[in-house]
């Protein structure tokens, strides 16, 4: 059984920067993965700075976030754009033994319903 938890991005990350996007490919067929409804899956790469909490230092992480969309969900955004990950979820897959005696799964994954540019609040100065 895998688990998926909603992430409060405003309380978790101080900034999220778009790095790039590519189709999320099936490991065996090398074809772009689709949802059960036939929507294409995309792997959106971001760099995220965590918020310092309980005396711990903030850290920078690179993340690959799966987004389902009929077309490239960030096609109009250049790399380096600060973004918001809409409805971000973190999940983990169950580890299981494979036929070679190793373990597969047991990995953290990220999913979001969309990616939008972060619109900075106006400073009110002219």
């Amino acid at each position: 059984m895998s688990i998926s938890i909603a992430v409060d991005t405003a309380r978790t990350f101080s900034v999220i920067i778009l790095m790039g996007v590519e189709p999320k490919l099936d490991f065996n067929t090398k074809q772009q993965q689709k949802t059960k409804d036939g929507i294409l899956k995309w792997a959106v790469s971001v760099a995220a700075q965590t918020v310092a909490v309980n005396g711990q230092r903030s850290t920078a992480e690179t993340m690959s976030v799966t987004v389902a969309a009929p077309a490239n969900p960030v096609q109009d955004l250049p790399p380096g754009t600060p973004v918001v990950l809409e409805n971000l979820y973190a999940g983990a897959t169950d580890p299981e033994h494979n036929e070679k005696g190793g373990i597969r799964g047991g990995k953290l994954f990220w999913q979001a319903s969309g990616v939008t540019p972060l619109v900075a609040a106006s400073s009110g100065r002219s």
Side-chain angles (χ1 to χ4, degrees), residues 1 12 27 31 42-43 78 91 97 109 119:
M1 173 179 128
T12 305
F27 182 77
Q31 297 296 311
W42 301 87
H97 292 280
F109 64 86
V119 179

Side-chain angles (χ1 to χ4, degrees), residues 24-84:
K24 185 169 179 136
L25 302 180
D26 181 273
F27 182 77
N28 295 314
T29 67
K30 306 301 182 217
Q31 297 296 311
Q32 188 167 6
Q33 293 180 12
K34 296 180 181 179
T35 66
K36 62 183 176 186
D37 298 322
I39 300 170
L40 298 172
K41 290 184 179 183
W42 301 87
V44 177
S45 297
V46 298
Q49 182 76 31
T50 62
V51 173
V53 177
N54 298 329
Q56 295 179 344
R57 295 176 40 193
S58 93
T59 60
E61 303 289 337
T62 56
M63 302 165 28
S64 179
V65 181
T66 299
V67 176
N72 178 343
V74 295
Q75 64 188 4
D76 296 328
L77 301 177
T81 300
V83 295
V84 174

